[in-house]
Amino acid sequence: MSVLEIRDLKTTVKTEQDVKEILRGVDLTVKSGEVHAIMGPNGSGKSTLAYTIAGHPKYTVTGGTITLDGENVLAMTADQRARAGLFLAMQYPVEIPGVTNTNFLRTAKTAIDGTAPSIRTWGKDVTAAMDRLRMDSSFASRNVNEGFSGGEKKRNEILQLELLRPKFAVLDETDSGLDVDALKIVSEGVNRAHEATGLGILLITHYTRILRYIHPDFVHVFVAGRVAEEGGPELADRLEDEGYDRYVAAASAN
Amino acid sequence: MTVIETEPSFIPVQTRSERPKSTIRDDFAALTGREAAFKYTPVAELSALSDGPLDGAPLPIRVSGDAVGFAASLIERTDERIGGAGLPEDRLSAAAWQAFDKAQLLSITGEDAQTVTVVRDSAGAAPRAAHTVIEVAPNARATLVIENSGDAQLTENVEVLVGDGAHLTLVTVQQWADSARHVASHFVRAGRDATITHIVVTLGGALVRLNPSAHLVGDGSSAQLLGAYFADAGQHLEHQVYVFHEGPHTTSRVTYKGALQGKDAHTVWIGDVLIGPKAVGTDSYEQNRNLVLTEGARADSVPNLEIETGDIIGAGHASATGRFDDEQLFYLESRGIPEEEARRLVVRGFLAEIVQQIGVPELEERLTSAIEAELSEASVA
């Protein structure tokens, strides 16, 4: 059993004009096996939370803590965090010209595990995982994300999630830009990883649509850089009906 | 009205094809570094080659592989093929032309697309001149690799005559010793429907200035000029590429990519494309990309495009010099890959686009390793 604990987390980002405060005291605890949905309107800081957990250098933590099983995550570099068991499925996966997916996946797996994967089984594992995500085998020899469609990039993120087997995964708007078929395939992949490894999931989304396929245990409404309300799956249903207006109005009244 | 008078004796060269040409060194004035073509070159370091006596004896070569349809021999200065592809446009090139005793002929007649490797690893430290003629018979096909290593103080001309319908991939690899200085002009002349893929990989040498030109004379001829270079601290690596679309329906693609790291690492790329008045249906694009890995390195990049006919398919150019893409590094690091290894992957990937087109797997692997070695050397320093 692992625990990812976020306490009173405050983050700023430097823009060209000034320094902007984005996260204003986030509290969140995710345990192995749990699925938490973070829902909120655009600009509420959801993606900042995702990037801050993963250690993107663009964001500066000005207060609070993130710990993984008691270890100080904020003291770790991005690659150390990944090796400690954190994974971020990005909203906009990055293209790496000249680096094949095969080479990338093997390099990442070797870094995460500390030893190179078995030559005998690794190739089969990759092929099987790609099959399950309905990815054509040609994606193995193509350069990472280069020329992939939006949906193909998202599948490639989930492929990594399945192969790298993290303790906790943050899925940053994985549902955006996916049609229904692709959304099902990607959701199945997430559910498979969840069942296979019992990882904890932080599912960041604007819409409730993906929650039909990935069922959250907890729902957190994120507004103006902090959690405004928490509840069970029923909270998502309420958001479906009412939207975020109620929270946004309350936040601006403060 | 005020008339501003500039130097009255100065007549600007109007078009790229009208640069003065001569095989006599002193027809060109001594180099000052103010000339347009030498603006970025440390000419003082080349004085032995531009002004001094040069050993004109043919450069020792080793040919590997027993390819059928390939022959190496020496030819006299009076051979009619000499000067068939181009003539010197600067003092260093003319100095080499004036000084060589005999030219090295590399003759390709085979049609089986074989690969021949010519190794030049014993040029030595004394200033010398060389002349090479690569003759590709009509409809012949081959990949010719010229691998340069060891010490050298060399100025040379390489003429490449690609016959009608012939396909040549010419790869030159500069992995010279740290002290080497190498100046080369390559003149490619492509016949009707001829195809040339000209690939330059420059990694080693104190100063390398390699200027490939492709003269697309024949109707339907095409040229792809590719380059990959990696400059470390103190290295000056320069490539001036010139494509002259003279015949109609000719195609050219120029892509040069370079990485730089360390103090005073300097690269220069100048890309000239001239689309002549008869070159209707030309399709041309040139680009240069540089990845500056550390402070203190400098990449100069100058694309020039001159068009003398409006009836073309396309012509464009692009140049970009940048640092590491932080998002690429973060993406790799977020998958557990340590920063140094992530950088290595990005640089290797950046140059792989060129190296992957050589089509000789053993050489591609060797060059990839050499690029990685450059990266690790610099991270130790």
Side-chain angles (χ1 to χ4, degrees):
Chain A
M1 167 72 76
S2 287
V3 185
L4 178 66
E5 236 179 333
I6 300 170
R7 287 285 163 271
D8 198 27
L9 185 67
K10 293 173 181 163
T11 301
T12 59
V13 65
K14 217 186 272 174
T15 63
E16 274 173 29
Q17 294 84 31
D18 53 359
V19 175
K20 234 170 106 183
E21 190 183 8
I22 310 227
L23 300 185
R24 305 171 186 208
V26 178
D27 290 296
L28 206 60
T29 303
V30 185
K31 294 180 183 150
S32 294
E34 295 178 351
V35 178
H36 292 245
I38 308 259
M39 306 193 60
N42 289 329
S44 58
K46 303 188 300 290
S47 284
T48 298
L49 176 63
Y51 278 115
T52 305
I53 294 170
H56 195 291
K58 190 171 138 192
Y59 301 96
T60 308
V61 174
T62 53
T65 58
I66 304 177
T67 58
L68 174 60
D69 296 332
E71 296 283 323
N72 180 5
V73 170
L74 294 176
M76 302 178 195
T77 55
D79 56 302
Q80 288 169 338
R81 294 179 197 202
R83 294 199 295 275
L86 298 178
F87 180 86
L88 170 62
M90 296 193 196
Q91 187 180 355
Y92 303 108
V94 181
E95 301 184 359
I96 318 279
V99 179
T100 62
N101 232 1
T102 301
N103 182 14
F104 165 62
L105 291 169
R106 198 188 325 103
T107 306
K109 185 66 177 170
T110 304
I112 298 272
D113 290 1
T115 53
S118 147
I119 299 168
R120 203 165 47 81
T121 56
W122 174 246
K124 286 182 201 154
D125 290 350
V126 173
T127 309
M130 286 177 65
D131 275 350
R132 288 193 298 265
L133 288 164
R134 323 267 208 286
M135 289 174 78
D136 191 88
S137 59
S138 65
F139 282 90
S141 54
R142 285 173 62 178
N143 293 333
V144 179
N145 293 324
E146 201 176 53
F148 289 24
S149 72
E152 288 162 352
K153 285 181 181 172
K154 296 297 174 70
R155 289 182 209 203
N156 207 32
E157 294 293 280
I158 303 309
L159 175 68
Q160 294 165 49
L161 170 68
E162 290 201 67
L163 292 170
L164 299 179
R165 303 171 71 93
K167 289 179 184 158
F168 291 96
V170 181
L171 310 181
D172 186 12
E173 306 217 9
T174 294
D175 51 341
S176 69
L178 294 185
D179 61 29
V180 176
D181 292 335
L183 181 63
K184 279 187 191 164
I185 290 166
V186 161
S187 300
E188 281 167 19
V190 174
N191 290 332
R192 250 191 329 266
H194 185 234
E195 279 159 30
T197 66
L199 82 165
I201 293 173
L202 210 53
L203 178 69
I204 292 176
T205 180
H206 185 91
Y207 303 103
T208 53
R209 192 175 62 144
I210 194 171
L211 304 183
R212 287 179 218 155
Y213 306 103
I214 302 173
H215 304 294
D217 303 303
F218 305 92
V219 174
H220 312 263
V221 183
F222 210 70
V223 182
R226 57 166 70 97
V227 176
E229 190 173 1
E230 295 175 296
E234 72 287 348
L235 185 52
D237 298 334
R238 204 175 150 192
L239 287 171
E240 172 95 53
D241 299 333
E242 298 175 8
Y244 298 112
D245 288 355
R246 188 160 61 88
Y247 302 103
V248 175
S252 49
N254 290 338
Chain B
M1 196 176 93
T2 317
V3 176
I4 299 166
E5 284 204 50
T6 51
E7 295 169 64
S9 62
F10 176 69
I11 300 161
V13 173
Q14 291 300 325
T15 178
R16 181 63 177 81
S17 61
E18 284 171 11
R19 279 194 193 168
K21 294 176 172 56
S22 172
T23 58
I24 311 295
R25 184 189 75 180
D26 289 336
D27 283 352
F28 297 93
L31 296 173
T32 62
R34 290 190 296 273
E35 305 83 355
F38 288 90
K39 212 167 118 185
Y40 302 104
T41 315
V43 292
E45 291 180 36
L46 295 172
S47 59
L49 296 174
S50 61
D51 304 324
L54 299 171
D55 176 0
L59 209 55
I61 64 165
R62 282 187 290 121
V63 178
S64 76
D66 48 353
V68 180
F70 172 83
S73 59
L74 294 175
I75 54 176
E76 300 297 328
R77 287 182 62 91
T78 51
D79 191 286
E80 62 179 9
R81 285 167 288 204
I82 290 172
L87 294 169
E89 295 182 351
D90 67 52
R91 186 172 167 93
L92 283 154
S93 173
W97 203 294
Q98 187 177 311
F100 79 90
D101 294 338
K102 285 186 177 176
Q104 179 70 58
L105 174 68
L106 304 173
S107 160
I108 294 164
T109 51
E111 297 181 5
D112 303 328
Q114 296 187 71
T115 297
V116 179
T117 301
V118 173
V119 174
R120 308 195 303 177
D121 57 2
S122 40
R128 67 191 300 162
H131 196 101
T132 303
V133 176
I134 299 167
E135 187 183 31
V136 189
N139 302 312
R141 282 167 186 263
T143 296
L144 175 61
V145 180
I146 299 179
E147 290 195 47
N148 294 313
S149 59
D151 200 1
Q153 303 288 324
L154 172 67
T155 177
E156 65 166 340
N157 293 294
V158 177
E159 296 191 75
V160 187
L161 295 154
V162 190
D164 292 351
H167 284 242
L168 174 69
T169 298
L170 174 62
V171 185
T172 62
V173 179
Q174 284 60 241
Q175 279 189 293
W176 298 112
D178 290 344
S179 52
R181 291 185 173 79
H182 177 213
V183 176
S185 293
H186 289 197
F187 304 96
V188 177
R189 183 184 172 90
R192 186 184 174 91
D193 295 325
T195 300
I196 170 91
T197 301
H198 183 279
I199 304 176
V200 173
V201 179
T202 304
L203 303 175
L207 196 165
V208 176
R209 181 182 145 104
L210 197 160
N211 299 351
S213 65
H215 192 171
L216 301 176
V217 183
D219 190 339
S221 57
S222 71
Q224 192 177 18
L225 293 100
L226 306 170
Y229 47 90
F230 194 124
D232 296 325
Q235 269 187 306
H236 176 98
L237 307 181
E238 178 164 354
H239 301 92
Q240 296 192 14
V241 185
Y242 169 39
V243 181
F244 181 12
H245 291 264
E246 190 179 2
H249 311 295
T250 52
T251 304
S252 71
R253 291 288 180 276
V254 177
T255 306
Y256 269 64
K257 296 182 94 170
L260 301 85
Q261 71 182 356
K263 190 176 180 298
D264 297 327
H266 189 195
T267 66
V268 179
W269 178 84
I270 299 176
D272 294 336
V273 172
L274 168 62
I275 300 172
K278 290 180 218 146
V280 297
T282 287
D283 185 2
S284 161
Y285 194 83
E286 58 165 352
Q287 60 171 330
N288 176 226
R289 307 258 177 238
N290 294 296
L291 194 52
V292 179
L293 308 179
T294 60
E295 299 285 330
R298 173 184 169 141
D300 287 292
S301 179
V302 187
N304 298 306
L305 178 59
E306 213 183 318
I307 305 177
E308 295 177 340
T309 173
D311 186 10
I312 61 169
I313 291 171
H317 59 75
S319 162
T321 296
R323 303 192 146 273
F324 265 118
D325 182 334
D326 287 341
E327 296 305 321
Q328 288 182 355
L329 288 180
F330 174 70
Y331 189 76
L332 295 170
E333 287 169 44
S334 77
R335 297 324 185 222
I337 300 168
E339 183 179 348
E340 198 178 305
E341 197 175 353
R343 285 177 182 274
R344 202 154 48 220
L345 270 178
V346 170
V347 175
R348 195 175 64 175
F350 178 75
L351 296 176
E353 193 196 338
I354 304 297
V355 174
Q356 279 167 0
Q357 307 214 34
I358 291 174
V360 184
E362 178 272 331
L363 179 60
E364 288 178 15
E365 274 168 40
R366 210 145 36 84
L367 291 173
T368 301
S369 309
I371 289 164
E372 288 192 353
E374 298 261 342
L375 278 163
S376 43
E377 263 171 43
S379 59
V380 170

